[in-house]
Amino acid sequence: MLTVTLPGTGGTQPLPERALACMTVFAAGRGVLLDCGEGTQTALRRWGVSAYRLDAVLLTHYHGDHILGLPGLLQTLASLGRTEPLTVAGPAPGQAAVAAAVLALAGALPFPVRWRTGGAFAAGALEVRPFPLEHRTPCQGYALALPRAGRFD
C-alpha cells in the first residue's frame, strides 16, 4: 500500500497554513520526500509524517522554494541519531554546487548523504525512475513504482 501526503503545496513564499513544495510517498514503512522547501519539517509534523523513515529526498529542481528546507532537515535527522545513509537525487546540472552549499549549511552529519543524478534506483520498497521535465532551469520528475508479486488465487 502506498501512502501519499502533500504537506506543502505553496509556491515562492511560505504562509502560516501553507508550506512550500513537499510531498511524501511511503510504502512498507519507508518513504521518499519530493522537494524540501521552507517549512517542510513543520508541515511534516502537522500531517504526522516521520522524516526519520525517509530513504531519499527527490529534488525536482534547485529553486529555493524547493530546496531551502534541506539543510535544516539534515540537521534534524542528525539530532535524532540517524546513522543510515540518505540519498538526495536531482538533476545533474547544478547539483554539485547545491550539494556543497547544503552540506556546508548542515555541518557535520553522523550519516552519509549520497547525492545522485539520473538512472533508476531503489529507495526502500519503491523503485524511483527520474525523467526530464521542462522548466526555466534543469528539472526532473520521478516515476515511483511499488514492485510486488502477483496474487495467486
Side-chain angles (χ1 to χ4, degrees):
M1 179 172 85
L2 291 176
T3 303
V4 178
T5 308
L6 296 163
T9 59
T12 309
Q13 182 180 19
L15 300 171
E17 297 301 320
R18 192 167 174 205
L20 295 182
C22 65
M23 179 177 99
T24 61
V25 179
F26 279 83
R30 304 294 301 181
V32 297
L33 173 68
L34 285 93
D35 287 330
C36 190
E38 285 180 80
T40 292
Q41 290 187 75
T42 54
L44 292 176
R45 288 182 66 80
R46 185 178 308 121
W47 289 96
V49 176
S50 172
Y52 194 80
R53 296 183 300 124
L54 294 172
D55 288 309
V57 177
L58 311 176
L59 302 174
T60 58
H61 62 288
Y62 303 128
H63 283 157
D65 59 338
H66 291 257
I67 66 168
L68 289 177
L70 189 54
L73 177 67
L74 297 178
Q75 288 178 328
T76 296
L77 293 174
S79 72
L80 293 172
R82 183 185 183 110
T83 56
E84 62 187 284
L86 179 71
T87 297
V88 178
Q95 189 184 72
V98 168
V102 165
L103 294 176
L105 290 169
L109 299 169
F111 58 91
V113 177
R114 296 183 176 150
W115 295 84
R116 64 171 297 127
T117 60
F121 65 98
L126 296 170
E127 286 181 4
V128 179
R129 289 186 299 272
F131 58 89
L133 294 173
E134 289 190 27
H135 194 40
R136 293 175 304 208
T137 186
C139 186
Q140 67 187 28
Y142 298 91
L144 304 175
L146 180 58
R148 49 190 166 170
R151 291 182 111 170
F152 180 77
D153 187 356

